[in-house]
Amino acid sequence: MGIAADIVIIIVAALLGGLIAHLLKQPLIIGYILAGVIVGPYTGGVTVSEIHNIELLAEIGVALLLFGLGIEFSLRELKPVRKVALIGTPIQMILTMVLGYGMGRLFGFEDTPSIWLGAIISLSSTMVILKTLMSRGLIGTLSSRVMIGMLVVQDLAIIPLILILPQLSSPEFSLPVLAWAFLKAGIFIVLMLVIGTKIIPVLMAYIASLESREFFILSITAIALGIGYATYLAGLSFAFGAFAAGMVLSESDYGHQALSDIIPLRDIFGLLFFVSVGMLLDLSFLLDHLSTILQMVFLIMAGKGLIFGLLVRLFGYRNIIPLAVGLGLFQIGEFSFVLARAGLATKSISPELYSYMLSTAVITMILTPFISRLTSPVYSFIRSHSQSDPIQTMNIPRSGLHNHVIIAGAGRMGLYVAQVLRDLKIPFVLIENNVQQVNRVKTEKWPVIYGDAGQAVLLEAARIGEAKLLIITTPSMIVSRAIVENSRRLNPKIGIVTRAENAEIMKTLKQLGANDIVHPQLEAGLEITRLALIFLKIPAHEIKRYTDEIRKNLYDPLSRES
């Protein structure tokens, strides 16, 4: 069956590898790479015979990955953390490239491969970080927004890296050649923006009017790969063209539908790419060079973690955020595989360096969830052994705080609560560690304390011993847990109302001493359901009975356990 048999072998192996990764709570790409190792040429048993043809198909996977990235890209997502993302990330990448170059020279590689090494390790993994943040309930926190903002810029940086780095190994390499490559890329982007924004929307509108989902999927795939191939013929990167096509399509009315329809195809071809990456991993090489690989892993983790942490701190983020970012973004990312494969294809890096990079990348990805979980205990240890920063309090009443409410978190939810308390003339104080939010609260002339509400010294500054009620609005389980523990210790009688993102977190916070816990997604879902039932003319008493029953099923077990 030839290549058809190889594809069957790869998909079955990827399914098994994905299941193993899921059971071990690892990203699926780790399972796909493991599948590639198993069916690759360096292990016995069932082996893919047409490796080169699979690699050619994997190029489509790379193009579709970047096509999806182009559709999803939005500057609006970077706005809350734009300074550290748009300025800090390029600085981080340059510093990490310097680190990688130094590592390359230390381990005996020449100049050009060492530059490639630096570029490869400068990228972190969006897939791994998103999975880690979601599993820990940290999506929406300031540290998560900083990480995601920096990751978006890193992902975009793959485009200039793919354009520049292969030129370094070209015999005709010179600054004019590099400038010409950038000029061609710029001309292409301008043409795409001018012509593409006029032609593609009209074409997509016509195709959508045909009301054929199959034809719609075929058209967006043809646009992505066709424009990619056009850039390849123009002497630019195939993947770069696909990315540009995605950016243009994202501006049309059909961008979200295009992304939704292309995801299954992208994932299948992406699977082929990550399996092909694993095929080139030689397990005997890994075992023979284990000491060197572990040294590289340590240097990458320590170096990148330090660079990220210091940069984030220099951009004004304090408390736990620099530590969370440093312990979160130290790994090598999935787009590093794209870059490494490009280096291997152009013979810019040797198979030996590729094997080193693949081994270290996989190890750093696997370690990420475990290292990231150390953020809270390490931060607590540092705080307990260091001198506390002066506490910044603003707009605290001259008479002090008595019989008041403490609101931990000045995000949207915290500000809603503060607005109601102000209207009811109930005294309150906010605790917030986001500088922008603190400045917003200051303009309202509301009492606020700048810092991490999980620290006992901040709670004491908020006069928790004299407070009636503590309201916790942060979505982070780590922060909420610390707040509940310290608050219950400092004031055993205080009432505590907190939010929780799932039943497991609710149970944990209840056991720690929270009086009432709110599940935001459930409450939003119930409100939508209530409004829908009102529209459908369902009697009010039936609606109340139904919503009360749902709440009872979720919240009553917590009450019984307490």
Side-chain angles (χ1 to χ4, degrees):
M1 290 177 64
I3 191 172
D6 288 340
I7 292 175
V8 171
I9 291 170
I10 287 172
I11 291 176
V12 173
L15 173 62
L16 296 175
L19 287 173
I20 293 172
H22 178 72
L23 291 173
L24 297 176
K25 298 183 178 180
Q26 295 296 323
L28 289 179
I29 57 173
I30 299 295
Y32 298 157
I33 293 171
L34 175 63
V37 173
I38 293 171
V39 301
Y42 300 108
T43 53
V46 180
T47 303
V48 171
S49 57
E50 301 288 341
I51 293 178
H52 179 65
N53 290 333
I54 296 299
E55 289 176 345
L56 294 177
L57 287 175
E59 293 298 317
I60 297 177
V62 174
L64 292 178
L65 281 171
L66 289 171
F67 177 66
L69 176 65
I71 294 178
E72 291 179 303
F73 173 64
S74 172
L75 282 173
R76 287 190 296 270
E77 295 179 3
L78 298 179
K79 189 174 180 180
V81 291
R82 57 187 178 275
K83 288 185 179 179
V84 70
L86 297 175
I87 301 173
T89 306
I91 296 173
Q92 169 268 316
M93 293 187 69
I94 291 170
L95 293 176
T96 309
M97 290 176 73
V98 172
L99 169 68
Y101 177 82
M103 285 176 54
R105 299 300 292 161
L106 176 66
F107 289 106
F109 295 107
E110 296 180 357
D111 285 338
T112 299
S114 296
I115 294 173
W116 275 85
L117 173 60
I120 289 168
I121 72 169
S122 69
L123 303 171
S124 302
S125 174
T126 303
M127 293 182 185
V128 172
I129 288 300
L130 286 177
K131 180 177 177 61
T132 301
L133 291 172
M134 285 188 288
S135 67
R136 297 175 58 208
L138 296 177
I139 294 292
T141 62
L142 182 57
S143 58
S144 72
R145 291 198 294 270
V146 171
M147 284 190 265
I148 292 170
M150 298 185 82
L151 285 168
V152 168
V153 176
Q154 280 190 359
D155 289 347
L156 294 175
I158 188 68
I159 301 302
L161 290 175
I162 285 178
L163 289 173
I164 296 172
L165 291 177
Q167 301 292 334
L168 299 178
S169 305
S170 172
E172 298 85 14
F173 172 72
S174 64
L175 287 179
V177 171
L178 186 60
W180 173 236
F182 269 99
L183 181 61
K184 286 195 293 184
I187 293 172
F188 177 78
I189 290 176
V190 170
L191 288 174
M192 284 295 297
L193 292 175
V194 174
I195 300 175
T197 52
K198 295 182 181 298
I199 296 175
I200 289 180
V202 174
L203 176 64
M204 295 306 299
Y206 172 73
I207 291 170
S209 69
L210 300 177
E211 297 183 352
S212 170
R213 186 168 183 269
E214 180 180 354
F215 200 56
F216 187 85
I217 295 173
L218 177 61
S219 65
I220 59 176
T221 306
I223 289 171
L225 301 183
I227 293 175
Y229 186 61
T231 58
Y232 171 75
L233 294 177
L236 294 169
S237 166
F238 180 44
F240 169 69
F243 173 78
M247 284 190 67
V248 171
L249 196 56
S250 70
E251 298 301 318
S252 75
D253 295 332
Y254 306 97
H256 292 295
Q257 183 62 42
L259 179 63
S260 175
D261 287 342
I262 202 70
I263 281 175
L265 190 64
R266 181 196 69 181
D267 290 346
I268 290 295
F269 278 98
L271 176 154
L272 290 176
F273 169 71
F274 288 114
V275 171
S276 70
V277 166
M279 288 180 188
L280 297 178
L281 177 61
D282 186 350
L283 288 180
S284 61
F285 177 90
L286 174 62
L287 295 174
D288 292 341
H289 300 82
L290 186 60
S291 176
T292 303
I293 290 170
L294 292 178
Q295 290 178 51
M296 296 179 82
V297 168
F298 174 77
L299 289 173
I300 291 168
M301 290 172 59
K304 284 186 72 174
L306 192 62
I307 289 169
F308 272 111
L310 290 176
L311 265 177
V312 170
R313 182 67 180 82
L314 287 173
F315 275 84
Y317 296 92
R318 299 185 179 182
N319 301 313
I320 201 171
I321 297 172
L323 185 64
V325 175
L327 295 180
L329 298 182
F330 65 83
Q331 75 289 128
I332 299 174
E334 55 274 358
F335 279 119
S336 297
F337 298 134
V338 175
L339 202 57
R341 284 294 300 273
L344 197 62
T346 58
K347 298 182 180 179
S348 302
I349 63 175
S350 64
E352 179 189 18
L353 180 55
Y354 180 87
S355 295
Y356 275 124
M357 282 298 89
L358 185 56
S359 301
T360 53
V362 171
I363 292 172
T364 57
M365 283 181 169
I366 291 173
L367 289 175
T368 298
F370 305 102
I371 300 297
S372 181
R373 287 192 185 99
L374 297 175
T375 301
S376 185
V378 170
Y379 180 66
S380 298
F381 177 81
I382 292 173
R383 293 286 296 191
S384 64
H385 289 78
S386 62
Q387 185 176 0
S388 299
D389 295 330
I391 297 173
Q392 300 180 44
T393 61
M394 289 144 272
N395 302 325
I396 303 296
R398 291 185 179 180
S399 59
L401 297 166
H402 310 282
N403 296 322
H404 57 291
V405 177
I406 299 174
I407 306 171
R412 282 176 296 182
M413 192 178 296
L415 294 180
Y416 291 151
V417 175
Q419 179 73 48
V420 172
L421 294 179
R422 188 195 67 171
D423 293 344
L424 295 173
K425 294 182 169 50
I426 297 174
F428 67 89
V429 62
L430 289 143
I431 304 178
E432 175 59 54
N433 66 351
N434 183 339
V435 176
Q436 289 86 356
Q437 289 299 110
V438 169
N439 290 333
R440 181 179 175 183
V441 172
K442 281 169 62 179
T443 60
E444 298 288 342
K445 300 193 181 305
W446 292 346
V448 60
I449 299 174
Y450 174 60
D452 179 7
Q455 298 301 312
V457 65
L458 267 295
L459 294 170
E460 289 172 346
R463 300 290 183 185
I464 192 167
E466 301 176 43
K468 280 185 176 180
L469 177 66
L470 168 66
I471 300 174
I472 304 171
T473 65
T474 175
S476 169
M477 178 186 175
I478 295 174
V479 178
S480 297
R481 179 171 184 157
I483 296 172
V484 172
E485 287 179 329
N486 285 325
S487 300
R488 190 53 73 205
R489 177 173 55 84
L490 294 170
N491 185 351
K493 295 181 180 180
I494 192 170
I496 300 177
V497 177
T498 183
R499 66 183 283 184
E501 303 303 310
N502 56 54
E504 183 181 348
I505 297 175
M506 293 173 70
K507 183 177 179 180
T508 300
L509 295 177
K510 191 69 176 178
Q511 291 172 344
L512 291 173
N515 297 94
D516 294 291
I517 303 171
V518 178
H519 192 309
Q521 286 80 11
L522 172 75
E523 297 298 334
L526 284 177
E527 180 61 14
I528 291 172
T529 303
R530 187 185 71 83
L531 294 173
L533 294 178
I534 290 173
F535 185 84
L536 295 171
K537 311 298 184 185
I538 305 297
H541 69 275
E542 285 292 320
I543 298 175
K544 186 176 186 306
R545 181 185 63 80
Y546 179 78
T547 54
D548 286 348
E549 185 177 343
I550 293 292
R551 285 193 177 94
K552 183 177 184 222
N553 290 336
L554 179 68
Y555 294 121
D556 271 13
L558 297 177
S559 300
R560 288 196 297 270
E561 287 175 9
S562 61

